[in-house]
Amino acid sequence: MKILVVGSGGREHALAWKLSQSPKAEAIYVAPGNGGTARGIKNVSNIDIDVGNFPALVGFATKNGIDLVVPGPEAPLVDGIEGYFRKVGIPCFGPSKEAARMEGSKAFSKDFMRRHNIPTAEYRNFAVYEEAKAYLEKVGHSVVIKASGLAAGKGVVIPASKREALAALKEIIVDKEFGAAGDEVVIEEFLEGDELSVLTFSDGYTLVSLPPAQDHKRIFDGDQGPNTGGMGCYAPTRIAPQSVIDQIHKTILQPTIDGMRREGYPFRGVLFTGLMMTKSGPKVLEYNVRFGDPETQTLLPLISEDTDFAEVLLAAANGYLDGIKIKINPGFGATVVASAGGYPGPYAKGKEIRLDPVKKDTNVFHAGTLLKDGKIYSSGGRVIAASATADTLEGAICFTEMILLIEPLSR
Ligand SMILES: Nc1ncnc2c1ncn2[C@@H]1O[C@H](COP(=O)(O)OP(=O)(O)O)[C@@H](O)[C@H]1O
Ligand SMILES: [Mg+2]
């Protein structure tokens, strides 16, 4: 099987690494990839095509006999990459443009949840500033304000006062801080509780979930400082025992997959459901229609080595996921991201990175790196991630810290 992975982050490095363990995978191309996918993994190489250049990706895939396409990031999915490959008959592990609206429009996904009685925060959608303002002035509960469209994880504001809420509303709708992503705004009830993420493979009928993960968005230890793309992750979380996972399946995940299919846009791919564990049970914060970053780096090493990951993705794309076994190892996974100094603000690039080979049960996944003249250089905010598995959560975290301590990013 020849596979084309689309993207250049740590998530895509982890996908290529896991796919390379498949006995069927004869070649894995990553477009455009990073320093970690450029060399060092069996059968994996980079090709220099941008994630948004669908005609070039399709051209490469048809010319090289690609059997499966795996888009990593949300933007190409929301822009309809799946349809480009469907047209030429190449299976794509990812939702159609219609199904990708579940991530591409928060207003759309909230209305979907309302139609299907899926537990989520109270909300209203607005496209007109004056109407949103009038609602904010009379609403009784604390609110969260969300730009409806894709905003690279920056479009959600949790205001501390009504004044802040009004200011955020104006910035999003009137001043267009997030461009067209702010044409519509969701104002929702602020929910209290612990957060977790569930990643679920689906072919539109069958659902198979990975262990629940918890990610850490803020830059500093102890949940301090500004939000980032995600600084770390661990799984399974202890905040969701099996009974709660079962409840999430019954009241949220199954109705979501069934509802999408019945409305004519079946979900094929991996559905990432962000949840808040509230006093009145789990509620959906949002859907993503692709693997998370860094959740992927944490979760894929927990999938057993004898699970054929390429076959899992192909089965989800082609509608026979109920014919496939996905085995999860016992134990825990943890990921810690090393970022460039200054990130998520302005940061330096182009620093040389030296990494020793890592021990069993640990991985270094590259994100913002590139290979030049045989050397690895930093090229992004999140540079590398250390991932490890162990019998205990503490053990897994300890392994990741050892990797990062032994090998400082730049000297
Ligand atoms: N209704 C809510 N109540 C409390 N916190 C929320 C709520 N909605 C979102 N958040 C917080 O904001 C973060 C980002 O919101 P989310 O809907 O996941 O958007 P995105 O990931 O696209 O930025 C969540 O991970 C959560 O911490
Ligand atoms: Mg989110």
Side-chain angles (χ1 to χ4, degrees), residues 146-331:
K146 300 183 174 185
S148 178
L150 294 186
K154 297 185 178 75
V156 171
V157 180
I158 303 182
S161 64
K162 201 141 271 193
R163 200 166 49 84
E164 267 184 47
L166 286 168
L169 197 59
K170 183 166 169 294
E171 276 165 23
I172 298 174
I173 305 190
V174 181
D175 305 340
K176 293 271 176 257
E177 194 178 326
F178 306 107
D183 285 352
E184 248 188 309
V185 164
V186 180
I187 301 180
E188 64 179 51
E189 168 199 12
F190 178 83
L191 298 176
E192 266 177 87
D194 286 322
E195 272 183 75
L196 64 96
S197 310
V198 180
L199 274 72
T200 307
F201 295 108
S202 185
D203 59 3
Y205 289 87
T206 301
L207 290 79
V208 182
S209 291
L210 295 173
Q214 193 164 45
D215 74 340
H216 289 269
K217 285 255 182 283
R218 291 180 192 263
I219 184 75
F220 301 125
D221 285 352
D223 262 343
Q224 301 294 310
N227 272 343
T228 69
M231 294 306 295
C233 181
Y234 71 96
T237 72
R238 292 163 177 156
I239 62 170
Q242 191 55 45
S243 61
V244 174
I245 296 297
D246 292 345
Q247 184 190 0
I248 290 171
H249 259 260
K250 190 158 162 257
T251 63
I252 293 170
L253 302 177
Q254 190 77 51
T256 301
I257 295 298
D258 290 344
M260 291 180 73
R261 185 182 65 245
R262 288 170 190 156
E263 291 190 359
Y265 45 95
F267 187 87
R268 297 189 197 95
V270 62
L271 183 71
F272 170 134
T273 309
L275 300 144
M276 187 75 90
M277 301 294 304
T278 73
K279 275 195 204 118
S280 50
K283 294 188 177 178
V284 177
L285 292 176
E286 65 157 351
Y287 297 107
N288 295 324
V289 298
R290 35 82 192 173
F291 286 105
D293 189 332
E295 286 82 354
T296 307
Q297 293 91 307
T298 305
L299 291 170
L300 297 192
L302 287 173
I303 298 178
S304 77
E305 288 208 358
D306 59 356
T307 297
D308 187 337
F309 190 58
E311 190 60 40
V312 172
L313 303 192
L314 190 68
N318 281 346
Y320 59 95
L321 194 58
D322 57 351
I324 298 294
K325 274 220 158 49
I326 302 176
K327 214 167 91 196
I328 306 296
N329 291 329

Side-chain angles (χ1 to χ4, degrees), residues 58 90 94 99 107 132 197 229 232 252 291 306 331 369 382 392 404:
V58 170
I90 299 176
S197 310
I252 293 170
F291 286 105
D306 59 356
T369 73
R382 291 189 293 172
T392 62
L404 295 176

Side-chain angles (χ1 to χ4, degrees), residues 111-120 251-252 255:
D111 288 344
F112 174 92
M113 288 184 259
R114 179 181 281 164
R115 281 197 300 285
H116 295 278
N117 283 318
I118 292 167
T120 188
T251 63
I252 293 170

